[in-house]
């Protein structure tokens, strides 16, 4: 299992949710976060404040999937979240040791 962690624009959540739903993804966690990337939170390039950092509101979408689905889910999220402008977001992929469905005690692939 892998965790796909996508930091996206808040305005793109509906598109990403819809795309994941169509793809058949049933479980996800969404959190409100603050972040910045290469431009240190500047939304356009301008002079001054060269070293300051500005944290912008973003959403973090976490999806744990079976290994063989990773590439497709990354593609689906990337396409749904992209505007082509700076600040579109980033995707990180982590190995997941285990998952347990609390109701039944199922674990591993059976739990996701
Ligand atoms: N290296 C990083 N580590 C952790 N979080 C990051 C990192 N880079 C980006 N993020 C998160 O992703 C959000 C969006 O990043 P962003 O899309 O601006 O990345 P970028 O590398 O600056 O690309 P772009 O040039 O397209 O803006 C940030 O607000 C931050 O929350
Ligand atoms: Mg950026």
């Amino acid at each position: 299992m892998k965790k796909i962690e996508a930091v996206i624009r808040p305005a793109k959540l509906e598109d990403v949710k819809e795309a994941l739903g169509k793809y058949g993804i049933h479980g996800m966690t969404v959190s409100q976060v603050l972040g910045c990337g290469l431009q240190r939170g500047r939304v356009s390039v301008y002079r001054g404040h060269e070293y300051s950092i500005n944290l912008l509101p973003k959403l973090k979408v976490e999806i744990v999937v079976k290994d063989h689905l990773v590439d497709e889910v990354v593609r689906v999220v990337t396409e749904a979240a992209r505007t082509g402008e700076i600040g579109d977001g980033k995707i990180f992929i982590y190995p997941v040791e285990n998952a347990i469905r609390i109701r039944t005690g199922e674990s591993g692939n059976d739990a996701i």
Side-chain angles (χ1 to χ4, degrees):
M1 291 170 290
K2 296 279 192 294
K3 181 169 82 168
I4 298 165
E5 183 182 288
V7 183
I8 62 167
R9 298 180 189 277
K12 279 295 195 178
L13 179 64
E14 285 307 314
D15 288 348
V16 169
K17 264 172 34 183
E18 188 183 328
L20 286 171
K22 279 187 185 152
Y23 186 69
I25 294 293
H26 300 300
M28 71 184 76
T29 302
V30 179
S31 333
Q32 295 181 307
V33 295
L34 295 173
C36 64
L38 270 186
Q39 296 81 12
R40 301 193 190 98
R42 280 170 291 166
V43 289
S44 59
V45 178
Y46 62 92
R47 295 170 72 86
H49 303 99
E50 295 295 330
Y51 302 105
S52 63
I53 285 181
N54 184 31
L55 296 174
L56 299 171
K58 299 282 175 182
L59 293 179
K60 184 167 74 175
V61 181
E62 294 168 86
I63 313 151
V64 175
V65 299
K66 298 179 175 72
D67 285 344
H68 70 277
L69 295 177
V70 171
D71 291 349
E72 271 292 274
V73 172
V74 166
R75 184 186 62 75
V76 165
V77 172
T78 303
E79 284 178 7
R82 180 183 289 139
T83 70
E85 303 294 321
I86 61 169
D88 269 355
K90 206 159 274 185
I91 298 177
F92 304 100
I93 298 167
Y94 307 83
V96 171
E97 176 99 2
N98 204 354
I100 292 98
R101 175 173 289 115
I102 291 175
R103 176 172 58 87
T104 58
E106 293 162 288
S107 63
N109 278 342
D110 293 337
I112 58 173

